[in-house]
Amino acid sequence: MDSPSLTKTIDHGLAWVATATALVAVCDVVALALILHLWLDATAFGVVSAVVTVFPALTLLAELGLPAALIQGAEPDDTRLSTAFYLTVAAGLALYAAVVLLAPVVAAAQGQPQMTRLFQVGGLMLVIRPAYLMHRALLRRQLRFQELSVIRMIANLVELVVKLGVAAAGHGLWCLVVAPLARELVYALAIPTRLRWRPRLLCAPRRCGADLRFGLRTSSGEILFHVYSNLDYQIVSAYFGATALGLYRAAFELVIEPVRFVSEVVTVVAFPAFARLRHDRGAVTSQLVKFARHNVATVLPMVALIVVAASELLTVIIGPAYAPAATAARVLAVVGVLRALSHLGPPLLDGLGRPELTLRYHVIAALVLGVAFVVAGQSGQSLGYLAVALAWAAGYPLAFAALAFMVLGQLDLPVAKLARPLARIGALVLV
């Protein structure tokens, strides 16, 4: 594919991913608002949050980084694809068995017996996901984001219906556990239909040695990301209780989740795009600036709105009981801007074939934020969960600075070239 055609394909992919992401965001906001207004109080929301926020790291661990390796590496053959498929199936089953065994221990440590069943049912996604992982990786490698986006929209509409249906039936806690399983089932049924490839009875782990080495470096970083990104939930739950976690997550959902959705529009396309462009550093640099402008232009107005009207937004969207979380939402809004930009770093470094730098960044972030969260939990009793939000604001800029140094070093990109267009957007939003 020549450069103009590739650029057009990337832009087309961005448009489809943006459409799907907008629909997913609306579904999530509508579901969360209705569920918290009508069926779930802050304490129950805190209990289920302590469960569901564990699974992003576990699902990545089960993938072994193989989808990323298949996207970035040489054209895969049937043996590599089939071997990767069976390895992820085995990893998913092994992790699910561990979840079943450890769920009672974790529930007892949290003092919430109902967590046992929530963990054991929610963990079924570890068994479902391998059915479509290799197919999705091939579609992403081929930049077929239109097909992936259509399936994503259908899957999330199904998730919305199941969430509201289960909640309305009186099973409030379970709606946030069962609905993601319904979404995963739609993916598992629909994504493989878009490719002719089917796993064959071939398994040669030695053929996947390079894929596993690349994938484990990549996935280790992503797992660390999800660990430190969700560690704050566990700290709030352990030190301040389930009700505090419900309020804290409401603030986090108001700020960081929209940022994640907006950033995902770019990051879903960014990794395969940078992988295609990796031999032309000038094209990589131009694409990075373009992606960064998109993220900042979209995120900054959202952050400004939250800073000005956090209390009103929480009251209207989720309910007056969550208005006390407004201060935490404002603190997290500052972090949201850096998070929007930082989501571009790992796809770029992985696309250039430098996953070890991505892992280094995530190790730094995990250490800095992990220490900050624990200190906040131990010494922030007077502030409550606000102390953990302040830990984000204190620790994350340090991790972001390390990532920026690595990215700029790979591209030999002057800071001014990246900062100038972003500063103009920032000045407009400030006014």
Side-chain angles (χ1 to χ4, degrees), residues 208-278:
C208 284
D211 292 334
L212 282 169
R213 287 191 294 273
F214 178 91
L216 288 174
R217 288 198 300 268
T218 302
S219 63
S220 296
E222 291 186 49
I223 291 165
L224 276 175
F225 167 76
H226 283 287
V227 167
Y228 68 74
S229 293
N230 293 299
L231 178 61
D232 52 344
Y233 292 139
Q234 307 304 319
I235 294 293
V236 172
S237 178
Y239 284 96
F240 307 115
T243 303
L245 176 56
L247 293 170
Y248 176 81
R249 191 180 176 197
F252 206 93
E253 293 278 337
L254 180 66
V255 179
I256 300 299
E257 281 303 290
V259 168
R260 182 179 67 82
F261 274 119
V262 169
S263 301
E264 190 177 290
V265 174
V266 167
T267 54
V268 167
V269 181
F271 175 45
F274 287 135
R276 287 286 189 95
L277 296 169
R278 65 184 180 273

Side-chain angles (χ1 to χ4, degrees), residues 60 94 186 244 354 365 410 413:
L60 279 171
V186 174
R354 299 299 305 273
Q410 284 297 302
L413 173 64

